[in-house]
């Protein structure tokens, strides 16, 4: 995750937030 | 962790625009994916307000290691904010 953290787009962050909220 | 650093007015501005709740949600989500030592040391420093010296004793690692963890955590969180809120 940390190796890729600079590469995530705004859309990917939003998706991660949604997935995290569902968890 | 952020507000004390004068070089990053951007974070302060973001805090004003988003509000603390939104920022905390993002931080929680990102920290959830961080390695356990980074999460733990961040929690001790930011949420529980332990000093670097106290964290060093609690964790049984050097002060320099604690500082290194906090610097890296801060850097990664800032990177995540810049990606999430370009």
């Amino acid at each position: 995750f940390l190796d890729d953290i600079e590469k995530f787009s705004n859309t990917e962050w939003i998706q991660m937030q949604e997935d995290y909220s569902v968890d | 962790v952020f507000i004390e650093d004068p070089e990053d007015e951007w974070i302060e501005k973001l805090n004003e625009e988003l509000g603390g709740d939104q920022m905390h949600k993002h931080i929680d989500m990102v920290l959830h994916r961080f390695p356990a030592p980074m999460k733990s040391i961040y929690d001790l420093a930011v949420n529980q307000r332990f000093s670097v010296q106290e964290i060093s004793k609690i964790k049984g690692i050097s002060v320099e290691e604690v500082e290194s963890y906090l610097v890296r955590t801060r850097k990664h969180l800032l990177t995540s904010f810049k990606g999430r809120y370009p």
Side-chain angles (χ1 to χ4, degrees):
Chain A
F1 174 73
L2 294 181
D3 289 339
D4 294 327
I5 201 165
E6 291 183 12
K7 301 173 195 164
F8 295 129
S9 68
N10 170 264
T11 308
E12 287 170 309
W13 282 115
I14 292 170
Q15 187 60 54
M16 276 188 265
Q17 184 79 65
E18 288 176 0
D19 293 343
Y20 178 68
S21 298
V22 169
D23 292 346
Chain B
V1 171
F2 295 127
I3 304 303
E4 292 170 4
D5 189 341
E7 78 178 20
D8 215 324
E9 294 177 9
W10 178 78
I11 281 289
E12 289 188 53
K13 190 178 170 202
L14 193 62
N15 190 35
E16 289 171 12
E17 289 176 2
L18 294 177
D21 187 51
Q22 189 66 28
M23 290 189 77
H24 282 119
K25 280 183 182 173
H26 178 80
I27 290 171
D28 284 347
M29 181 269 293
V30 176
L31 285 175
H32 180 69
R33 293 168 177 266
F34 277 12
M38 291 178 82
K39 279 191 283 193
S40 172
I41 289 171
Y42 177 90
D43 178 61
L44 289 169
V46 176
N47 298 328
Q48 302 191 47
R49 307 271 179 187
F50 283 108
S51 69
V52 170
Q53 288 76 15
E54 289 169 327
I55 297 170
S56 166
K57 288 178 185 169
I58 292 167
K59 291 298 201 180
I61 60 177
S62 70
V63 167
E64 290 76 19
E65 284 177 287
V66 174
E67 288 172 340
S68 173
Y69 271 116
L70 290 172
V71 166
R72 278 183 284 151
T73 301
R74 180 183 184 281
K75 178 181 163 232
H76 290 312
L77 284 173
L78 278 173
T79 300
S80 75
F81 271 108
K82 286 174 181 169
R84 172 68 182 86
Y85 303 102

